[in-house]
Amino acid sequence: MTCTACSSCVESALEQIHGVKKAIVALATEEAEVHYDPWLVSYKTFIKSVSDTGFEAELISTSNESNNICLKLEGSSTYSQEQVDLIQSSLMGFLGVKNVETDCKNGSIIVSYDPDTTGPRCFLEVIDKVGFKASLQNDLGSPDRSKEMKEYKHQFFWSCAFTMPLFALSMIFMYISTLKSIFEIRISHMFTLGMLLRCILSTAVQFVFGRRFYKGAYMALRHGSTNMDVLIALGTNTAYFYSVYVSIRAATSSRFGEMDFFETSAMLISFILLGKYLEILAKGKTSQAIAKLIDLQPEFATLLELGEKGDILAEKEISTQLIHRKDLVKIIPGRKVPADGIVVSGHSYVNESMITGEACPVPKHAGDKVIGGTLNESSILHVRTTHVGSETALSQIVRLVKTAQMSKAPVQKYADKVSRHFVPFVILAALITWLAWFGAGLSGSYPKSWIPASMDEFELALQFGIAVLVIACPCALGLATPTAVMVATGKGASQGILIKGGQALENTHKVQCMVFDKTGTLTDGKPAVTTTKLFSDLSLANFYSLVTAVEANSAHPIAKAIMQYAADLQEGSYDSEKICEVEGFNSVIGQGVHAILEGRRIAVGNQRLMQHLNIPLSETVQQHLQHIENVAETSVVAAIDDHVAGIISVSDRVKPEAASTISMLKAWGVQSIMVTGDNWGTAKAIARQVGIEEVIAEAEPNTKVEKIKDLQNSGIIVGMVGDGINDSPALVAADVGMAIGAGTDVAIEAADIVLMRSDLEDVLTAIDLSKKTFSRIKLNYVWALGYNVFALPLAAGVLFPLIGLRLPPWVAGAAMALSSVSVVCSSLMLRSYKRPKCLHALKDIKVA
């Protein structure tokens, strides 16, 4: 596809099919996504429909469901219906297979199955047993442009092989007297040897290497649309067939002396083929982000085969694509994790920076989750796979990026409207240019000295008309937005920011008010011990040894936070003997726990527990408790033998980057509001810490939605940052919903943007990336529109009367070819995007 007229034509053809609900065709990625009713229509109809519009199509996938896979039969280009039926019946008889759909023409098989029962490894074995070979088709790869690149390169070089001698015959040999006399040998009347050679060479270029433009123009006109191919075909045909007319007149007349333009059409086609080749090269670089993401997945994995008792019998190297759910895989140091799973045994550090952006390696123990594509660094891990194939976090990230690249930003709609009327306008402009110059020449409105020696009035006018046809470039307009969106979404993914579409990318930099949830967004989302105040002679280690002995029997989140703090304090070791010695354990709901340990009564809980057990609180203790309440923390009092031994402060700690993020948003003119379901005291204290002035506390999910709608009704563009689960109604209601803290759950339907790293500074990065992207898109449009605004009058000859400047059609064609390449290269500049410098400065301040 060359421009938006092509993609619109294919999109329209697909949407007209009965049973199709929606079709999206992306120019930059050259892919179509069709939402349809499978009971009414098949994907084969879509492929035929695309073929009817003049383009080639092949199936990528038939569903977003993870339990559908596509297999490709190998060894032959076509298969008989009997062979395909044999494979289909063999697969349908396999346990766990729900449905099998085959295409004997393409040798493809689509299998629907239960991933808990079977998987692709079993299907390949079944196909192998019936005497065929098959491979798994991956639908996540970026478009393979190698064939198209090779084709354009091949055609360009062959076109040059004919065009260069043609150019020499027309422009060089005519000025060498010896050669000129040879090529001016007359064959019939005024028809010379040079004219014959030029006609033969030009015909080969016009109809062999320029065939694709004829085909594209025919298909476009057949469906009632116009595209770049129409302009190219008109321009080259005008030059070629006028030259044919000149040749026929020369062969039949003894006094006809007009010049032919065979070199014009050939050079036009050669330069346009070069431009398309360069454009495809540049387009390939826009999708490198997806290629890099896919490369994170290792090619092979080590599968552990287990015996009936769970003992390891053997190890086997298999393709990562053939891993099943619940397989046990071995990951040695230096190897990548092949799929998402849970550590069964082993302890190691895993580098997750390539997925989450977290720079420090993360420790992994038995029971911890690991993400496919991450790097095991220190020791051997045995992992039980939970998500494989298209279910993995990495696959979902790639899918999100591809979906974003498929979607159209609202700003692109204007370009589509312009492109729709662009070609008819250019054809009209070319016709008016030719008539104006030809009419002016016939009426003697300009001096005869303006006409080059080898031309007359008609030919000069024709040159101007052809130049107008071929210099106009709707391609640059069509590529201005999608190429920039492709690069930006890929760049965002590499930094842990998953942008779900062009509209989200466009709206983000327009946000005027950002609404924040508190728990899990501005705070860590889990209680943690902040300070410990002792009121006895016990050491900190002995104090926590007694407290944890009692708290170990509690399942309360605060108890777990205290246990975790004690474990870190004691380097991961508990005194199991003391835990076992606890007697008379009692848990009081809403208050705390108490028990007897080594003959001493130990109570750990809040003030109400102390009152319940008649444990006195001194004035000093009460002052400290009041201070803890003022800073919005939770107090846990520990008493030994009815005397307060210490007070532990527990809080959901504010993220270290929260205050700096709010401050930077304020500097950028973005208002910040906190809406939380927590109590007013805690909400106000957290708001003071981070610098938020407007707070809404004790809010239900619908209260958050109402606040966002109130802001929107007042004309404010609203962003929402939440955890993506409790805040999903608000994320949907906001103009831009950002889900933070997604971890491996990247498929959050409610959010427009997923911040993988759970870092609030990524909110700033998302806004800055949006600003930079749309500045680049504006620059692309300025160039694309500016090019056409200045190039069309220049090609029409407005400067010719003033300074004698005239663009030959082949120069105009070269300018047109390079204009779209320049737009793609402009978008590629976004690959050098770096996080805002202010974030680095904020990090330096925090360190200081």
Side-chain angles (χ1 to χ4, degrees):
M1 298 186 292
T2 56
C3 59
T4 51
C6 299
S7 56
S8 298
C9 177
V10 176
E11 201 170 274
S12 175
L14 289 169
E15 286 181 337
Q16 287 173 12
I17 298 171
H18 179 63
V20 171
K21 299 172 185 176
K22 184 175 71 169
I24 304 166
V25 179
L27 173 66
T29 60
E30 296 179 341
E31 292 182 3
E33 183 181 288
V34 187
H35 300 255
Y36 68 101
D37 185 343
W39 295 103
L40 297 177
V41 67
S42 165
Y43 72 88
K44 297 173 186 177
T45 310
F46 307 148
I47 292 175
K48 184 179 182 302
S49 177
V50 174
S51 299
D52 289 343
T53 60
F55 300 96
E56 296 176 8
E58 62 180 27
L59 178 70
I60 299 175
S61 65
T62 58
S63 175
N64 282 332
E65 296 179 10
S66 57
N67 55 355
N68 276 32
I69 62 164
C70 188
L71 303 172
K72 188 79 173 175
L73 293 174
E74 298 174 351
S76 177
S77 56
T78 57
Y79 290 85
S80 67
Q81 190 62 49
E82 292 78 11
Q83 290 174 317
V84 171
D85 289 344
L86 173 62
I87 295 170
Q88 184 174 10
S89 60
S90 300
L91 287 170
M92 282 300 295
F94 202 80
L95 182 66
V97 174
K98 298 177 181 177
N99 185 47
V100 178
E101 190 176 347
T102 60
D103 184 353
C104 56
K105 184 179 177 182
N106 299 317
S108 62
I109 303 169
I110 298 162
V111 186
S112 300
Y113 66 100
D114 179 3
D116 286 322
T117 308
T118 186
R121 197 163 68 240
C122 298
F123 306 150
L124 295 183
E125 288 174 2
V126 169
I127 294 171
D128 187 57
K129 284 179 181 177
V130 295
F132 298 94
K133 294 288 183 183
S135 60
L136 200 62
Q137 207 168 352
N138 189 0
D139 66 324
L140 293 177
S142 53
D144 184 10
R145 303 181 188 273
S146 57
K147 183 182 176 183
E148 195 179 6
M149 267 191 266
K150 187 177 179 181
E151 189 177 329
Y152 270 113
K153 185 179 179 181
H154 177 80
Q155 289 189 348
F156 168 67
F157 281 121
W158 272 106
S159 177
C160 284
F162 285 82
T163 302
M164 289 173 70
L166 179 57
F167 178 80
L169 279 168
S170 304
M171 304 293 182
I172 300 172
F173 295 164
M174 291 298 111
Y175 298 97
I176 301 172
S177 56
T178 310
L179 295 174
K180 183 179 179 182
S181 60
I182 296 171
F183 292 119
E184 285 190 347
I185 295 172
R186 295 183 184 182
I187 298 172
S188 173
H189 296 287
M190 302 299 291
F191 187 66
T192 64
L193 175 63
M195 199 176 285
L196 175 64
L197 292 174
R198 287 195 294 273
C199 181
I200 293 169
L201 292 168
S202 178
T203 301
V205 175
Q206 185 76 23
F207 297 107
V208 178
F209 309 117
R211 184 177 66 247
R212 64 170 55 246
F213 304 119
Y214 281 102
K215 185 180 177 183
Y218 167 72
M219 289 297 182
L221 293 171
R222 180 182 160 191
H223 287 85
S225 65
T226 52
N227 60 10
M228 193 67 225
D229 291 334
V230 173
L231 291 181
I232 295 168
L234 273 175
T236 56
N237 276 343
T238 304
Y240 176 79
F241 284 107
Y242 174 73
S243 301
V244 170
Y245 163 76
V246 169
S247 300
I248 294 170
R249 284 293 307 274
T252 57
S253 173
S254 301
R255 290 182 294 178
F256 189 79
E258 302 296 338
M259 290 291 296
D260 62 76
F261 297 138
F262 283 120
E263 78 285 349
T264 297
S265 65
M267 291 178 73
L268 267 173
I269 288 171
S270 295
F271 275 111
I272 291 165
L273 288 172
L274 173 63
K276 294 302 294 180
Y277 172 64
L278 294 175
E279 185 183 318
I280 292 165
L281 277 177
K283 273 185 185 177
K285 292 182 179 179
T286 62
S287 57
Q288 279 187 353
I290 289 180
K292 287 180 180 177
L293 284 170
I294 293 169
D295 286 344
L296 291 177
Q297 184 176 336
E299 192 174 352
F300 297 101
T302 304
L303 177 70
L304 297 178
E305 296 182 349
L306 305 179
E308 293 180 1
K309 296 181 180 179
D311 52 323
I312 298 171
L313 300 179
E315 296 180 5
K316 185 168 68 172
E317 286 279 310
I318 63 167
S319 170
T320 304
Q321 292 182 317
L322 301 181
I323 295 175
H324 292 187
R325 196 185 288 180
K326 299 179 182 178
D327 275 348
L328 186 65
V329 293
K330 175 183 175 183
I331 308 158
I332 63 173
R335 293 282 290 269
K336 290 179 180 178
V337 179
D340 297 356
I342 297 174
V343 177
V344 174
S345 64
H347 166 72
S348 183
Y349 283 87
V350 176
N351 185 347
E352 297 182 345
S353 61
M354 61 286 293
I355 301 293
T356 65
E358 179 60 52
C360 298
V362 181
K364 298 292 180 182
H365 308 80
D368 289 340
K369 293 181 180 179
V370 289
I371 308 171
T374 55
L375 182 67
N376 181 23
E377 291 197 342
S378 53
S379 59
I380 294 173
L381 291 176
H382 287 180
V383 173
R384 180 77 64 187
T385 59
T386 56
H387 298 83
V388 297
S390 59
E391 303 172 321
T392 64
L394 180 60
S395 295
Q396 292 188 53
I397 291 170
V398 172
R399 205 178 299 281
L400 278 177
V401 175
K402 289 192 76 174
T403 302
Q405 293 178 350
M406 285 283 294
S407 66
K408 291 181 180 179
V411 72
Q412 192 178 337
K413 293 176 184 176
Y414 300 109
D416 291 349
K417 287 179 182 177
V418 172
S419 296
R420 200 172 296 126
H421 305 290
F422 188 85
V423 175
F425 167 76
V426 170
I427 294 171
L428 182 62
L431 184 62
I432 292 170
T433 300
W434 175 74
L435 287 172
W437 276 101
F438 186 47
L442 289 177
S443 62
S445 300
Y446 60 81
K448 295 288 184 183
S449 59
W450 286 10
I451 305 173
S454 60
M455 297 185 192
D456 59 14
E457 294 88 350
F458 178 83
E459 291 171 339
L460 179 64
L462 193 63
Q463 288 265 326
F464 282 124
I466 294 171
V468 169
L469 275 176
V470 298
I471 202 167
C473 186
C475 306
L477 277 171
L479 292 168
T481 298
T483 52
V485 169
M486 276 186 74
V487 178
T489 50
K491 191 66 183 177
S494 69
Q495 303 207 12
I497 301 169
L498 303 181
I499 303 165
K500 290 190 178 180
Q503 184 162 355
L505 187 63
E506 181 172 346
N507 289 342
T508 302
H509 78 283
K510 298 177 182 176
V511 168
Q512 299 165 295
C513 176
M514 194 67 78
V515 178
F516 289 90
D517 176 48
K518 179 185 76 70
T519 307
T521 303
L522 293 171
T523 65
D524 288 332
K526 54 184 180 181
V529 174
T530 54
T531 59
T532 306
K533 175 79 171 177
L534 297 179
F535 294 91
S536 66
D537 296 334
L538 289 171
S539 67
L540 191 64
N542 287 336
F543 171 77
Y544 271 103
S545 177
L546 295 172
V547 169
T548 54
V550 178
E551 289 282 41
N553 296 285
S554 173
H556 195 279
I558 290 179
K560 290 182 179 179
I562 292 171
M563 295 293 290
Q564 183 61 51
Y565 181 80
D568 295 339
L569 190 69
Q570 300 169 15
E571 297 182 351
S573 63
Y574 296 111
D575 192 340
S576 57
E577 291 184 5
K578 283 190 175 180
I579 293 173
C580 295
E581 290 172 6
V582 169
E583 298 174 356
F585 177 82
N586 191 7
S587 176
V588 183
I589 296 173
Q591 296 182 18
V593 296
H594 58 92
I596 304 297
L597 176 65
E598 297 177 344
R600 293 189 287 183
R601 186 171 76 162
I602 299 173
V604 182
N606 55 26
Q607 294 181 59
R608 284 185 293 162
L609 179 67
M610 300 301 118
Q611 292 168 0
H612 175 73
L613 298 175
N614 297 318
I615 298 173
L617 302 177
S618 67
E619 187 177 343
T620 307
V621 169
Q622 290 181 13
Q623 287 177 354
H624 188 67
L625 290 171
Q626 186 61 47
H627 169 71
I628 292 172
E629 188 177 332
N630 291 339
V631 294
E633 293 183 354
T634 302
S635 57
V636 179
V637 183
I640 300 173
D641 288 337
D642 296 340
H643 291 90
V644 175
I647 298 176
I648 302 168
S649 300
V650 179
S651 74
D652 184 4
R653 287 183 292 194
V654 172
K655 290 181 178 179
E657 73 278 4
S660 58
T661 299
I662 302 300
S663 174
M664 190 53 62
L665 285 173
K666 190 174 182 180
W668 287 353
V670 179
Q671 179 190 2
S672 295
I673 298 174
M674 186 172 78
V675 182
T676 178
D678 213 335
N679 64 72
W680 278 99
T682 303
K684 286 181 178 179
I686 297 295
R688 279 197 303 271
Q689 288 184 52
V690 300
I692 292 178
E693 296 173 1
E694 186 174 346
V695 181
I696 298 172
E698 299 176 4
E700 298 293 330
N702 61 331
T703 309
K704 297 179 183 181
V705 174
E706 287 168 7
K707 179 62 180 176
I708 287 171
K709 287 185 176 177
D710 288 343
L711 291 166
Q712 289 171 332
N713 291 335
S714 62
I716 296 173
I717 296 174
V718 185
M720 170 72 193
V721 186
D723 61 12
I725 300 168
N726 300 328
D727 305 309
S728 56
L731 288 167
V732 172
D735 296 290
V736 180
M738 297 188 187
I740 193 167
T744 61
D745 185 17
V746 297
I748 298 175
E749 294 296 329
D752 300 302
I753 297 174
V754 181
L755 308 179
M756 290 288 292
R757 298 193 310 161
S758 303
D759 190 334
L760 279 173
E761 286 178 352
D762 284 343
V763 173
L764 301 176
T765 304
I767 294 172
D768 186 64
L769 179 60
S770 174
K771 286 179 182 176
K772 294 286 196 305
T773 302
F774 277 84
S775 295
R776 181 60 56 179
I777 288 173
K778 287 175 186 174
L779 182 64
N780 287 350
Y781 278 128
V782 167
W783 166 251
L785 288 169
Y787 163 81
N788 284 295
V789 166
F790 287 105
L792 283 170
L794 191 65
V798 294
L799 295 180
F800 187 64
L802 301 174
I803 58 175
L805 179 62
R806 179 178 66 86
L807 288 182
W810 65 270
V811 174
M816 183 275 289
L818 292 173
S819 65
S820 55
V821 176
S822 63
V823 166
V824 178
C825 290
S826 171
S827 296
L828 285 172
M829 297 290 286
L830 286 169
R831 290 170 65 196
S832 61
Y833 171 81
K834 293 181 180 177
R835 292 163 67 84
K837 290 183 180 178
C838 60
L839 297 187
H840 301 298
L842 290 173
K843 279 186 170 61
D844 293 341
I845 291 168
K846 280 187 277 183
V847 170

